[in-house]
Amino acid sequence: MSRGLDSSSQAELAKRQFAIINLLQFLDIGPTPVYLTDGPTPVTWDGRTYESIGTLLAISDMTEEEDLKIETVDITLSAIDTDIVKLFLDYDYIDRRVVIHRAIFDANGSMVQPIGTPALVFDGRLDQPRLVEDWQSKSATLGVSASSHWSDFDASGGRHTNDTEHQVLFPGDTFFVNSTETQKDIKWGKE
């Protein structure tokens, strides 16, 4: 299916050999977005560099259907850097945006710059995290599920009042630092 692809991408798909890789964006998690790819080398596209984690990135199959339903995708990151694990442990990643593009490359050429414009295949929100640590091999596997952006169709606007989420939006601001502390002896009304 070439619907929505530019002419250079369509021409590459018409060849006998080509390579397709995923470009994954974790947005609104931590102070800066995280860009990853399952390609063999880092990829530069749209002014961003996607760090290669090769076969250590797995994305479940995605299908396009006529039925109206909320699409989901499972993303698994194996043997990942502790900085990425720290992002998921330190920040509220539930309902944060994840975007997946598929890029086409010449199978015999450079895997640094995609041919044409990568196709958007998923845009959704993170939910259901899973972190499995193997203490003997000193490795971690992080899995998250994501639902399409229609999953929060009925959500009401607003913000949580905690320091972690506030730091994402306003780094260095200390407004919510003490928001989790409570006073035990609060008197209401007249005595």
Side-chain angles (χ1 to χ4, degrees), residues 109-178:
S110 169
M111 296 290 282
V112 175
Q113 190 71 28
I115 294 172
T117 302
L120 176 66
V121 294
F122 186 82
D123 188 347
R125 305 286 178 181
L126 294 173
D127 58 12
Q128 299 179 7
R130 299 169 305 283
L131 180 62
V132 178
E133 292 182 292
D134 184 352
W135 296 103
Q136 293 176 342
S137 67
K138 296 182 182 176
S139 66
T141 300
L142 174 67
V144 290
S145 295
S147 302
S148 73
H149 64 281
W150 295 111
S151 66
D152 65 351
F153 187 71
D154 292 327
S156 58
R159 288 186 27 208
H160 297 152
T161 53
N162 63 51
D163 188 52
T164 304
E165 287 192 32
H166 191 69
Q167 290 302 313
V168 171
L169 299 172
F170 304 100
D173 191 4
T174 60
F175 186 79
F176 286 111
V177 168
N178 299 317

Side-chain angles (χ1 to χ4, degrees), residues 24 26 35-42 50-58 75-81 84:
L24 181 69
F26 287 114
Y35 302 104
L36 303 172
T37 181
D38 57 356
T41 60
Y50 293 78
E51 295 302 320
S52 173
I53 58 173
T55 58
L56 304 177
L57 170 65
I75 303 165
T76 305
L77 305 167
S78 301
I80 54 176
D81 186 80
I84 295 173

Side-chain angles (χ1 to χ4, degrees), residues 9-157:
S9 296
Q10 291 178 27
E12 191 64 27
L13 287 174
K15 295 180 180 178
R16 292 189 72 152
Q17 289 186 336
F18 56 87
I20 296 179
I21 65 168
N22 293 296
L23 302 176
L24 181 69
Q25 303 174 9
F26 287 114
L27 304 173
D28 304 324
I29 298 177
T32 60
V34 176
Y35 302 104
L36 303 172
T37 181
D38 57 356
T41 60
V43 173
T44 301
W45 174 64
D46 200 25
R48 302 177 182 109
T49 299
Y50 293 78
E51 295 302 320
S52 173
I53 58 173
T55 58
L56 304 177
L57 170 65
I59 299 174
S60 65
D61 291 334
M62 294 174 272
T63 58
E64 185 176 295
E65 299 180 16
E66 293 179 8
D67 299 336
L68 291 175
K69 68 177 198 173
I70 296 172
E71 295 296 327
T72 60
V73 64
D74 291 319
I75 303 165
T76 305
L77 305 167
S78 301
I80 54 176
D81 186 80
T82 56
D83 289 340
I84 295 173
V85 173
K86 188 171 174 14
L87 280 176
F88 281 85
L89 294 176
D90 288 351
Y91 292 96
D92 184 11
Y93 46 85
I94 301 296
D95 203 33
R96 300 298 184 190
R97 190 169 173 216
V98 61
V99 179
I100 303 171
H101 288 86
R102 293 247 165 97
I104 302 167
F105 291 84
D106 179 358
N108 299 318
S110 169
M111 296 290 282
V112 175
Q113 190 71 28
I115 294 172
T117 302
L120 176 66
V121 294
F122 186 82
D123 188 347
R125 305 286 178 181
L126 294 173
D127 58 12
Q128 299 179 7
R130 299 169 305 283
L131 180 62
V132 178
E133 292 182 292
D134 184 352
W135 296 103
Q136 293 176 342
S137 67
K138 296 182 182 176
S139 66
T141 300
L142 174 67
V144 290
S145 295
S147 302
S148 73
H149 64 281
W150 295 111
S151 66
D152 65 351
F153 187 71
D154 292 327
S156 58

